[in-house]
Amino acid sequence: MRFSEMVEQAARLEDSVVAIAAADDEEVMDAVALAIENDLARFHLFGDATRIQQMIQKRALRESQFVITHTSTSQEAAERAAHAVRKGDASVLMKGLVPTATFMKAVLNKETGLRSGNILSHVALFEVPGRESAIGLTDAAIHIQPTLEDKVKIIENGVSALRALGYGLPKVAVLAAVEVVNPTMQATIDAALLTQMNRRGQIKDCLVDGPLALDNAVNLVAAQQKGLTGDVAGQADLLVVPQIEVGNVIYKSLMYFAHASVAAILVGARAPVVLTSRADTAEAKMYSLAFALLNAQQTKKVKQTI
């Protein structure tokens, strides 16, 4: 999967609507303009209506692409945007110019938010120069020190996110510092348990292997030099990190050293959530929207079969 293919797939979806909390932000509206240029969605914008309309006019965008709801505060914008997605008026929620804590409080509100009973986790997808296909990373933003039970759910969320893009049987590498089980390193023990759980059918729709160090998870030659065999070593589609520090460093290293393009969403809620950084480019925000829209379509299909 390349990001251009992801955008093309998302553009073929029908009736996609994105609710944006506190959309009165120049960088967010640049991403919206790019998304409209690629026919990704229509938008329900919550925030300062006057400023939003000025931004729309500045970019010469058609007003028919938007519904605008005026809100007085960023908290109100977050709450009403989340509720719009909960009601089914939009399929994806996106963060605008609102503090992350305020935004997440609205997402997790039991009565008006998107809490589903599942845990939320962050899934990032990177298009790295020199690699033929994108590679996923989870969880680099939500879970500080995930338990074994958390890691099961994180893998399930990540696998679901990749399957929405067309990965039939994602290859999941559970990372650690080494590729052998060391009783003094909990990450290696968890990785081995997760691998065995997958083999016994407790974690489905994917192939899990670990512990794997980063090099032998993503590079086939490195895996072969260590004598590692199987379908995951050197060929991973999804990297599962042992704790947030590892995920954060890999995420930022790929962006700033490898100059990778990134798309990132929160999964596990009633609908996908685009939680971007102000440092993200408009293009990255647009890729994240495409990623979220394809996941929203998959969520809709699953609900229809239940």
Side-chain angles (χ1 to χ4, degrees), residues 6 36 80 89 122 137 223 226 236 282 285:
M6 186 169 67
I36 289 174
R80 297 188 66 176
D89 295 338
H122 183 268
L137 177 72
K226 290 289 183 72
K285 290 182 172 72

Side-chain angles (χ1 to χ4, degrees), residues 1 4 17 31 33 43 53 81 89 98 109 198-199 202 205 209 276:
M1 170 66 69
S4 58
V17 180
F43 292 86
Q53 287 168 341
D89 295 338
V98 54
N109 185 293
N198 173 245
R199 291 174 180 172
Q202 292 172 265
D205 300 323
D209 196 8
T276 55

Side-chain angles (χ1 to χ4, degrees), residues 23-137:
D24 43 316
D25 176 73
E26 295 286 356
E27 294 171 352
V28 168
M29 289 304 297
D30 284 342
V32 168
L34 194 55
I36 289 174
E37 182 181 325
N38 284 275
D39 298 319
L40 289 185
R42 292 177 291 110
F43 292 86
H44 192 160
L45 308 179
F46 296 80
D48 186 307
T50 300
R51 290 192 63 202
I52 290 172
Q53 287 168 341
Q54 290 171 347
M55 292 176 186
I56 290 172
Q57 293 167 2
K58 176 182 176 180
R59 291 163 179 78
L61 301 174
R62 296 196 312 273
E63 293 194 11
S64 60
Q65 296 279 2
F66 305 97
V67 172
I68 301 172
T69 297
H70 178 76
T71 57
S72 301
T73 65
S74 61
Q75 178 181 340
E76 182 188 358
E79 291 171 350
R80 297 188 66 176
H83 194 216
V85 177
R86 182 186 178 105
K87 292 189 300 179
D89 295 338
S91 52
V92 168
L93 176 64
M94 181 176 182
K95 175 182 174 292
L97 188 60
V98 54
T100 299
T102 301
F103 180 76
M104 289 305 300
K105 184 177 180 180
V107 170
L108 296 174
N109 185 293
K110 292 182 179 179
E111 296 181 359
T112 61
L114 302 178
R115 193 186 285 266
S116 69
N118 190 9
I119 68 169
L120 268 67
S121 56
H122 183 268
V123 181
L125 198 64
F126 292 92
E127 191 171 80
V128 184
R131 284 186 62 92
E132 292 183 2
S133 61
I135 188 165
L137 177 72

Side-chain angles (χ1 to χ4, degrees), residues 172-288:
V172 180
V174 187
L175 298 184
V178 294
E179 63 282 341
V180 294
V181 176
N182 184 331
T184 66
M185 300 174 69
Q186 187 62 43
T188 67
I189 298 171
D190 285 358
L193 289 170
L194 292 164
T195 301
Q196 189 65 12
M197 291 172 75
N198 173 245
R199 291 174 180 172
R200 294 193 173 188
Q202 292 172 265
I203 302 174
K204 303 180 186 298
D205 300 323
C206 61
L207 297 173
V208 178
D209 196 8
L212 291 171
L214 179 62
D215 56 347
N216 47 56
V218 301
N219 186 281
L220 196 54
V221 173
Q224 291 170 344
Q225 288 174 339
K226 290 289 183 72
L228 299 172
T229 59
D231 294 321
V232 177
Q235 306 173 76
D237 298 314
L238 180 66
L239 306 175
V240 179
V241 300
Q243 65 265 342
I244 198 169
E245 290 90 351
V246 176
N248 184 277
V249 170
I250 294 176
Y251 188 109
K252 291 178 180 175
S253 294
L254 287 171
M255 287 185 64
Y256 291 101
F257 290 147
H259 306 292
S261 298
V262 62
I265 60 175
L266 297 184
V267 291
R270 288 171 178 253
V273 178
V274 179
L275 184 67
T276 55
S277 164
R278 292 191 64 82
D280 290 339
T281 64
E283 187 176 51
K285 290 182 172 72
M286 188 264 291
Y287 289 146
S288 296

